[in-house]
Amino acid sequence: MEAANAIADPVRREILVLLHEGRRTAGEIAEHFPISRPAISRHLRVLRESGLARAEYTGRQRFYVLDPAPLAELADWLARFQRPEPWRQRFDALETEVHRTRREHAARHPEEKESTA
């Protein structure tokens, strides 16, 4: 769950948003924040170590790129705490009732075949 620790900081979350828009250099990222470049470098290191960002080199330039794969594990973990939507429960109940009614009708009228058209 390193991704959870990495996204706990609002600056790192904003960096991820920037990287979602496209690859950027550390300087381009730093321009968006009122903090020092060394602080941005530390945030980028945390994102790299958590697997959420990686560095790509083009010539002598280093670009940072988003890697959302670690977020999938976090999303799966968070999904356990979500309740099903109330309408989904109602549709499930309706589907059960339709099947029950069809079975009862078929039992009372065995000579009729249900139309599949």
Side-chain angles (χ1 to χ4, degrees):
M1 289 280 181
E2 288 183 40
N5 291 330
I7 65 171
D9 186 277
V11 171
R12 289 193 289 267
R13 288 194 304 268
E14 185 61 29
I15 291 172
L16 290 176
V17 170
L18 291 171
L19 295 179
H20 183 260
E21 296 169 357
R23 70 185 199 157
R24 297 179 189 263
T25 65
E28 291 170 335
I29 293 168
E31 290 173 359
H32 288 84
F33 299 96
I35 59 177
S36 69
R37 287 182 183 245
I40 292 296
S41 292
R42 286 191 295 275
H43 286 298
L44 289 169
R45 187 186 75 235
V46 170
L47 292 172
R48 280 193 325 270
E49 289 174 355
S50 69
L52 288 168
R54 66 179 187 281
E56 292 181 350
Y57 294 90
T58 302
R60 292 174 42 176
Q61 278 194 306
R62 179 190 308 183
F63 290 92
Y64 290 91
V65 179
L66 174 67
D67 185 354
L71 293 174
E73 178 187 356
L74 180 59
D76 290 343
W77 185 81
L78 289 170
R80 299 184 327 184
F81 300 99
Q82 293 178 334
R83 295 183 182 176
E85 300 87 0
W87 58 265
R88 181 174 299 251
Q89 291 174 341
R90 291 185 177 135
F91 281 139
D92 290 344
L94 177 61
E95 182 180 30
T96 301
E97 187 63 24
V98 167
H99 287 296
R100 185 186 63 77
T101 302
R102 285 182 178 168
R103 276 195 316 272
E104 289 176 357
H105 179 77
R108 281 183 280 172
H109 306 284
E111 67 283 352
E112 293 180 17
K113 290 201 172 193
E114 191 173 312
S115 171
T116 59

